[in-house]
Amino acid sequence: MIDMQGVYKTYPNGVIAINGIDVTIEQGEFVYIVGPSGAGKSTFIKLIFREEKPTKGSITVNGKDVLKLKWKQIPYLRRDIGVVYQDFKLLPKMTVYENVAFALEVIGETPKTIRKRVMEVLDLVGLKNKARFIPDELSGGEQQRISIARAIVNYPKLLIADEPTGNLDPDTSWEIMRILEEINAGGTTVIMATHSKEIVNTIKKRVIAIEDGLIARDQHRGEYGYEV
Ligand code: ADP
Ligand code: ADP
């Protein structure tokens, strides 16, 4: 699913965010990315969906050489990747339904297909009855569930979540994890950056620890934690 070889990323201001990473992630895996603030976790994630370009190295995602993609081809890469953020990034003036339908409208699906699929994913995240609400009328956990619905509406092969429970209380965080596990059980690869020791140590998965732009640890059913 993802293959990185000899990857480096130096930002224009001279900061070395990724300092030589080799890693392979298979289709269907669930991987936690842990590490201290500033370690390079977000940069690592952004390299996967070409939000950032590496300074050096090769990155293949879902069979595509991410570096060789022309500007016009990037949307096709992103169609295979759903992204969930800590702060949800929902469109505030649109309803829940519209927030989720949007991703299908831009690729020109028929209204009938859109309606069916949107209600299907809202059902999956348990929010079918809130389709007409706007994000402000929902709790943080509900907003995150909407952002997950939006991320998966297009059947992506890969779901990336950058601290998806960072703004949520513990009970709500477990609900979000249950949904992410269900999505993963359906065959979608899930990559999740997190600071939650409790989640990582309870729902055991592969753990990749990034420190100073390097992979400090890569463990099957690993534990939370890092050196500094
Ligand atoms: P990032 O650099 O990934 O954006 P932040 O520094 O914004 O991370 O931290 C996100 C949240 O995680 C904050 O609430 C912060 O207090 C918490 N956090 C940061 N480092 C740790 C840690 N080592 N263990 C547990 N929680 C942490
Ligand atoms: P993490 O997600 O682990 O907190 P980041 O990938 O966000 O780490 O950041 C790694 C390093 O790169 C940090 O020193 C950060 O300040 C720097 N950095 C991140 N984004 C940029 C940017 N757009 N321009 C310059 N420096 C950046």
Side-chain angles (χ1 to χ4, degrees):
M1 179 78 226
I2 297 170
D3 185 53
M4 289 195 186
Q5 296 301 327
V7 171
Y8 292 78
K9 173 67 185 179
T10 304
Y11 282 108
N13 62 357
V15 172
I16 300 169
I18 296 293
N19 198 15
I21 279 189
D22 305 306
V23 72
T24 302
I25 295 172
E26 305 294 344
Q27 177 69 43
E29 280 197 82
F30 193 122
V31 183
Y32 293 118
I33 309 295
V34 305
S37 286
K41 303 182 296 297
S42 296
T43 303
F44 176 79
I45 278 175
K46 286 175 182 166
L47 290 168
I48 297 171
F49 62 105
R50 254 295 289 268
E51 178 95 350
E52 292 290 349
K53 261 179 120 166
T55 318
K56 208 166 96 182
S58 73
I59 304 177
T60 309
V61 176
N62 195 23
K64 296 185 178 83
D65 182 338
V66 168
L67 286 172
K68 289 211 180 112
L69 291 181
K70 302 236 160 45
W71 187 247
K72 275 199 288 194
Q73 297 169 313
I74 294 175
Y76 294 95
L77 169 78
R78 301 227 177 119
R79 256 176 227 184
D80 293 329
I81 305 176
V83 186
V84 172
Y85 299 92
Q86 179 171 4
D87 60 356
F88 324 132
K89 299 199 193 298
L90 297 170
L91 298 162
K93 294 207 169 85
M94 283 190 178
T95 65
V96 162
Y97 183 91
E98 289 162 349
N99 264 282
V100 179
F102 188 68
L104 294 173
E105 281 160 3
V106 297
I107 62 167
E109 290 290 356
T110 65
K112 196 176 157 204
T113 306
I114 293 175
R115 176 146 193 94
K116 182 163 173 286
R117 179 62 182 155
V118 171
M119 292 321 279
E120 203 172 86
V121 286
L122 287 181
D123 196 23
L124 177 83
V125 300
L127 286 175
K128 221 170 149 179
N129 58 344
K130 304 238 162 134
R132 290 169 192 278
F133 287 54
I134 57 163
D136 262 356
E137 296 169 327
L138 304 180
S139 70
E142 288 173 331
Q143 291 187 50
Q144 191 56 297
R145 284 192 269 156
I146 299 305
S147 95
I148 293 172
R150 178 186 57 187
I152 61 165
V153 72
N154 210 5
Y155 304 100
K157 295 189 178 72
L158 170 63
L159 180 65
I160 290 177
D162 197 351
E163 294 202 46
T165 64
N167 285 343
L168 306 176
D169 62 61
D171 283 352
T172 311
S173 298
W174 293 118
E175 278 171 29
I176 295 298
M177 289 310 297
R178 189 191 54 72
I179 294 169
L180 294 181
E181 283 200 279
E182 199 173 318
I183 292 165
N184 178 242
T188 304
T189 310
V190 177
I191 299 180
M192 169 175 163
T194 183
H195 280 295
S196 174
K197 180 176 180 170
E198 230 195 324
I199 288 173
V200 173
N201 289 352
T202 305
I203 306 175
K204 290 291 191 81
K205 305 285 183 192
R206 179 175 176 186
V207 175
I208 296 178
I210 298 185
E211 283 175 50
D212 291 333
L214 290 167
I215 294 183
R217 180 165 57 93
D218 184 350
Q219 272 180 318
H220 179 63
R221 293 178 64 78
E223 297 260 331
Y224 187 81
Y226 35 81
E227 300 302 317
V228 288

